[in-house]
Amino acid sequence: VAEHFFLMLDEYRDRGDDGFEGLEVALCLDRAPSVRHLDEWLVPLSPICKLLASWRARGLKVQDVEDAQECKVFLSRGSELAGVLADEGVELQPLHEALSAVMGSSGCCLGVVTEGVAGELEKLLDFERPLELRDDPSGLWQCLEWSFWGGNDQGSPYEGGLRAFLWQLSLRQEEYHSYSVFEMLTVQFAYLPLCIHRTKAYAQKAALDSEHFGQSYMNCAPTHLSYAIDHFFVAGASDRAQETWVLMKSHRWQPVDWQSIHNTAIGYLPGIAHWPWWQAHPAVKPYIDFLERHFDLIAKERPALDWHANLQKDAFPATSNDKSWHKIEFWQDGALTDECDWTPLTCDALSTLGWGVAGDIVTRKLAWSIVEPGTRFAGHSGQSRRINIQVCVQGCEGAELHIDGTVVQYERGRAIAWQDGWRHEVRNRGMQPRWVFIISIPHPEYQLAWEASGAQWPDTLQRLNGKWRLAGPYDRV
């Protein structure tokens, strides 16, 4: 972790763009922004501006600043200012991003990180210790914050930040136990000012626009804490997952209202029903019946896909890139795809569903999902706005679906349905690839609210928050 931080910082330094002058203009020379807590804003701002002006006058770049006393003031006041900024909204987020980048790439931070990162990481990653957020008297964690979430040029191995790099490294090396290392860092950084501010800015925009709501990576804390809990379970560190859950539910800042550790959905909508199983719901049951009614036809045409090129590709490389999980999709951009040439009779049946572009209010799917024998695809949480309906066609014996802390054995020809936001994992203990045909549809309550609002997102949210729903629950497998 420490080695890659220094490599990332070196790469950024080689760019020659330290953001120093832009930060001084934005912070100190432009008219003071309108903030709710002006006194708290001005206290750290004055010494920072004096330092920035002094460094400019001496011809220093921020990466070259090493004076111990100046660095102490810069980091302490910068951390204080970041905390004030985190309480503000969308308008001041770019300023916070600039401050974080300059602090994180400064010579001051390089010194602090060089001196303290190894010891702090050893404490954080000591699994004999209870999970707790580390204190930050030296500014170490805020020095690392910008690097962890990203900031390097596009095309750089570090463009998505240290977290994304370590995630991909774990996948490439198939060392899933190492998830528990970098996700300990995720928990720490999720409660620091930059991620808090990104989360609040996302919430402001997401309340007004459905497309922004779907940009889950902008929802910093909930999205990455969801991944962290998922990955702790995948790594076999269930105790850390439980500790993270307890910390989240007890912390003074509550960025998301998850009600179960097994349902840490991406793009969580609290106003809709959250039930694991949905096959008996009146809006879902017709799809269950469709798959079971057309099962023989789907099964008959399946062998035509045995040599499909997608069987050599990963379905979702961010979850698994060991060629154990594949997909063949028949629906994209509001229409059936060219994959229908492989199974024309199946697609004739699918066309009777009457789908069109207007129904794509979530990422709908008509697809095959294939899991190789002797493998698993790692547990992950999807979208709360989507329901998945599946029927197992091939390799069902020994194949299991893990969801809501339970294990369900696939049965050939029997369709099941669950909400995508519940963490789900497939293990194929059998001797053949497991083939299921999947239909993914919008959550029924979400679809009803969307249609009743005339496709107006703010009104949709109001209706959902009013608990406007059908009877239920339909929570039995």
Side-chain angles (χ1 to χ4, degrees), residues 226-242:
S226 172
Y227 288 141
I229 292 174
D230 285 353
H231 286 162
F232 282 137
F233 279 117
V234 171
S238 58
D239 289 349
R240 280 303 193 217
Q242 293 286 347

Side-chain angles (χ1 to χ4, degrees), residues 7-328:
L7 287 173
M8 183 177 178
L9 197 59
D10 285 343
E11 185 180 279
Y12 183 79
R13 284 164 165 267
D14 291 342
R15 272 170 38 175
D17 173 20
D18 61 10
F20 169 76
E21 292 184 8
L23 179 65
E24 186 186 13
V25 170
L27 272 178
C28 312
L29 302 181
D30 285 351
R31 189 168 66 180
S34 174
V35 296
R36 291 194 297 271
H37 309 290
L38 188 59
D39 290 342
E40 295 179 24
W41 164 268
L42 293 175
V43 169
L45 185 63
S46 179
I48 289 175
C49 289
K50 288 180 180 178
L51 283 174
L52 293 175
S54 172
W55 294 338
R56 175 171 48 81
R58 284 182 275 165
L60 292 176
K61 290 187 174 183
V62 74
Q63 292 101 325
D64 300 325
V65 177
E66 296 178 348
D67 180 89
Q69 186 57 36
E70 290 182 333
C71 282
K72 183 177 179 180
V73 172
F74 180 57
L75 294 181
S76 64
R77 293 304 193 182
S79 297
E80 187 178 344
L81 182 58
V84 176
L85 285 168
D87 285 333
E88 300 299 328
V90 173
E91 296 79 9
L92 294 182
Q93 186 190 1
L95 186 58
H96 195 165
E97 300 282 346
L99 173 64
S100 182
V102 171
M103 285 180 62
S105 61
S106 69
C108 299
C109 271
L110 182 61
V112 168
V113 173
T114 301
E115 182 177 340
V117 68
E120 279 298 299
L121 288 176
E122 285 179 2
K123 294 173 185 175
L124 182 71
L125 302 176
D126 182 356
F127 279 72
E128 297 300 317
R129 293 170 174 258
L131 186 149
E132 60 182 357
L133 299 178
R134 303 292 301 165
D135 292 331
D136 195 19
S138 68
L140 170 69
W141 291 111
Q142 284 203 249
C143 280
L144 290 167
E145 186 179 26
W146 167 81
S147 301
F148 187 74
W149 295 120
N152 280 39
D153 285 333
Q154 189 172 11
S156 159
Y158 300 109
E159 69 174 280
L162 190 58
R163 182 183 185 282
F165 178 84
L166 293 172
W167 185 347
Q168 290 301 314
L169 187 64
S170 299
L171 282 171
R172 286 198 304 272
Q173 298 179 349
E174 298 182 32
E175 294 182 352
Y176 298 117
H177 64 277
S178 63
Y179 277 155
S180 59
V181 174
F182 73 80
E183 295 299 15
M184 285 293 291
L185 292 168
T186 297
V187 176
Q188 175 75 21
F189 287 113
Y191 288 94
L192 287 178
L194 185 60
C195 190
I196 291 174
H197 200 165
R198 288 181 177 181
T199 303
K200 291 179 177 179
Y202 165 88
Q204 280 186 268
K205 296 178 181 177
L208 301 173
D209 180 65
S210 61
E211 288 189 12
H212 194 86
F213 179 87
Q215 296 172 4
S216 56
Y217 276 91
M218 304 300 292
N219 193 15
C220 185
T223 293
H224 292 99
L225 287 170
S226 172
Y227 288 141
I229 292 174
D230 285 353
H231 286 162
F232 282 137
F233 279 117
V234 171
S238 58
D239 289 349
R240 280 303 193 217
Q242 293 286 347
E243 286 182 291
T244 301
W245 177 257
V246 171
L247 185 152
M248 287 177 55
K249 301 304 283 186
S250 61
H251 198 273
R252 64 183 181 278
W253 180 56
Q254 296 285 314
V256 62
D257 188 30
W258 291 323
Q259 296 300 305
S260 168
I261 193 174
H262 300 296
N263 180 25
T264 54
I266 302 295
Y268 184 78
L269 272 180
I272 60 177
H274 294 275
W275 308 318
W277 303 106
W278 283 79
Q279 49 268 13
H281 192 288
V284 177
K285 184 67 163 59
Y287 290 98
I288 294 284
D289 295 341
F290 174 90
L291 288 176
E292 293 183 349
R293 186 169 65 252
H294 292 92
F295 173 78
D296 290 339
L297 172 62
I298 295 170
K300 181 179 179 180
E301 286 199 315
R302 187 215 60 79
L305 298 164
D306 278 339
W307 303 104
H308 196 284
N310 282 11
L311 299 184
Q312 305 303 317
K313 299 177 182 178
D314 292 303
F316 297 98
T319 301
S320 173
N321 63 3
D322 58 359
K323 304 296 187 295
S324 62
W325 182 20
H326 320 289
K327 64 177 178 178
I328 303 171

Side-chain angles (χ1 to χ4, degrees), residues 435-448:
W435 288 70
V436 300
F437 197 86
I438 181 169
I439 299 176
S440 295
I441 63 172
H443 188 293
E445 293 172 4
Y446 172 58
Q447 180 157 359
L448 280 172

